[in-house]
């Protein structure tokens, strides 16, 4: 199973989210909990490798990795951050969550607030929502005129090119859940006193516009999946599949980056501590 090739959006290809199964599994023989156990074991192996490579990325301090998480409400952005990226050393990770822009943010160009929090050399940056909201919610709700948001795909590609040419690798994950699964998860939030706070009435308006959001996601995937900064559509109805797929792709990327711990100073060689 090669999560990268299964889920990468090839640059320039057409995307029909309706044809991508959100409840995909590994396809192993046997009952689902057996498959889940196998996926969880692979996830843990991936995380173990990610931890070692994060140590070297930090020590090398030359390059960085940016992980972008997008998806509808309840698609698992918080869960992915906790389960897949939580085990990394927090010293080398910075998570940024993008909410409705403040007045100050709105008085600048849309990338201003984003550029300020991209990962520094040695760091792994995680975006929980991102600059892509500016071609998703902004497009669906007409928050700025079409003449303005339609230019943003090119602005985003140029911005990401600048980042990659400055040493940041970028992986972008769309967490793809079905409308039925979202219904279950939204209801569970309402029914659980520990989760109710996550529910916003506005989430229901967003849900009503599901098809418009899917159109906006498709445009984003088609226009902004590039060789340097690819988009992945991750089937996310099954959290264990999502965690396996994302950890596999992040692990692969860190292995390709192959960060190296710096060599020791020549004068330290053979030194004995008294
Ligand atoms: P949550 O992720 O549940 O905390 O919700 C954050 C909210 O902020 C979502 O409804 C997003 O659509 C909204 N949001 C994020 N970025 C933007 C943006 N650039 N313009 C308008 N709304 C945004
Ligand atoms: Mg929310």
């Amino acid at each position: 199973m090669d999560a990268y090739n299964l889920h990468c959006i090839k640059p320039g290809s057409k995307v029909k989210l309706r044809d991508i199964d959100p409840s995909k599994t590994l396809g192993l023989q046997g009952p689902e909990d057996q498959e889940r156990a196998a996926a969880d074991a692979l996830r843990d192996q991936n995380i173990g490798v990610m931890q070692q490579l994060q140590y070297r990325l930090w020590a090398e301090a030359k390059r960085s990795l940016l992980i972008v998480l997008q998806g509808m409400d309840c698609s698992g952005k918080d869960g992915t951050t906790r389960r897949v990226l939580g085990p990394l050393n927090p010293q080398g990770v910075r998570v940024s969550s993008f909410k409705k822009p403040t007045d100050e943010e709105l008085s600048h160009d849309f990338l201003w607030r984003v550029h300020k929090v991209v990962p520094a050399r040695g760091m792994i940056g995680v975006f929980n929502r991102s600059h892509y909201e500016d071609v998703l919610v902004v497009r669906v709700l007409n928050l700025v005129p079409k003449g303005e948001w339609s230019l943003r795909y090119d602005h985003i590609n140029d911005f990401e090119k600048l980042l990659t040419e400055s040493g940041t690798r970028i992986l972008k994950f769309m967490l793809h859940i079905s409308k039925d699964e979202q219904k279950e998860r939204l209801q569970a939030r309402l029914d659980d006193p520990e989760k109710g706070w996550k529910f916003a009435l506005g989430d229901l308006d967003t849900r009503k516009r599901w098809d418009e959001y899917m159109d906006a996601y498709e445009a984003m995937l088609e226009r902004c999946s590039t060789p340097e900064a690819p988009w992945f559509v991750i089937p996310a109805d099954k959290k264990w599949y999502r965690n396996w797929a994302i950890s596999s792709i992040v692990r692969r990327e860190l292995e390709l980056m192959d960060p190296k711990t710096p060599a020791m100073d020549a004068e330290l060689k053979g030194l004995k501590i008294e």
Side-chain angles (χ1 to χ4, degrees):
M1 293 285 283
D2 175 359
Y4 184 98
N5 279 308
L6 274 172
H7 302 306
C8 185
I9 300 300
K10 305 283 171 294
S13 63
K14 288 290 285 175
V15 180
K16 278 273 152 269
L17 286 168
R18 223 173 300 123
D19 298 339
I20 302 178
D21 178 9
S23 61
K24 189 180 172 339
T25 63
L26 294 176
L28 305 176
Q29 301 288 323
E32 184 172 325
D33 27 330
Q34 223 166 298
E35 212 183 332
R36 181 197 167 127
D40 285 351
L42 292 169
R43 175 202 65 196
D44 288 344
Q45 277 178 24
N46 289 338
I47 289 173
V49 176
M50 284 160 54
Q51 287 168 329
Q52 287 171 10
L53 292 169
Q54 184 205 10
Y55 173 81
R56 291 201 208 143
L57 185 76
W58 171 260
E60 181 193 75
K62 289 196 176 137
R63 294 168 292 165
S64 59
L65 177 64
L66 172 61
I67 295 168
V68 172
L69 301 174
Q70 279 289 162
M72 299 295 278
D73 294 309
C74 298
S75 59
K77 300 181 291 295
D78 295 340
T80 304
T81 305
R82 190 172 62 246
R83 302 291 298 196
V84 180
L85 306 159
L88 296 173
N89 181 347
Q91 189 157 235
V93 179
R94 178 173 186 181
V95 182
S96 306
S97 299
F98 292 90
K99 309 283 182 190
K100 254 178 96 170
T102 62
D103 286 344
E104 190 191 19
E105 288 167 348
L106 282 174
S107 69
H108 292 85
D109 71 85
F110 78 104
L111 291 171
W112 179 76
R113 67 172 181 165
V114 182
H115 206 163
K116 284 197 294 190
V117 293
V118 298
R121 298 182 204 287
M123 297 287 292
I124 295 180
V126 181
F127 282 2
N128 186 332
R129 301 187 189 268
S130 67
H131 43 302
Y132 284 97
E133 290 290 324
D134 291 283
V135 289
L136 292 168
V137 62
V138 169
R139 167 176 160 151
V140 172
L141 299 185
N142 288 309
L143 299 180
V144 304
K146 180 172 184 186
E148 210 174 306
W149 62 251
S150 61
L151 298 175
R152 291 183 173 173
Y153 301 98
D154 288 339
H155 289 145
I156 289 174
N157 289 338
D158 289 344
F159 170 62
E160 292 182 355
K161 189 163 190 284
L162 166 73
L163 296 182
T164 51
E165 289 179 358
S166 312
T168 302
R169 292 293 306 167
I170 307 176
L171 298 172
K172 302 178 296 201
F173 298 104
M174 185 225 168
L175 308 182
H176 179 44
I177 55 165
S178 62
K179 210 174 166 187
D180 285 346
E181 180 66 21
Q182 190 201 44
K183 181 179 170 190
E184 301 287 317
R185 293 186 189 180
L186 278 174
Q187 190 66 51
R189 276 186 184 178
L190 279 177
D191 297 343
D192 180 346
E194 283 295 316
K195 287 189 182 163
W197 67 272
K198 275 200 177 194
F199 192 94
L201 264 184
D203 297 351
L204 295 179
D205 296 325
T206 309
R207 180 170 164 80
K208 282 200 195 108
R209 295 171 178 269
W210 187 275
D211 291 343
E212 289 166 78
Y213 271 97
M214 291 305 112
D215 290 346
Y217 270 104
E218 286 173 354
M220 168 196 92
L221 294 162
E222 286 173 5
R223 296 208 46 192
C224 298
S225 195
T226 60
E228 311 82 47
W231 267 111
F232 300 85
V233 175
I234 303 296
D237 275 7
K238 300 199 187 297
K239 295 172 184 172
W240 55 263
Y241 185 90
R242 170 199 84 197
N243 293 340
W244 165 76
I246 294 181
S247 63
S248 301
I249 296 166
V250 172
R251 169 191 173 158
R252 172 188 180 278
E253 194 65 32
L254 284 166
E255 283 176 336
L256 285 171
M257 287 172 82
D258 192 20
K260 300 267 194 289
T261 45
M264 224 166 50
D265 268 352
E267 61 198 46
L268 295 178
K269 291 242 165 74
L271 202 69
K272 290 275 178 275
I273 310 291
E274 311 240 319

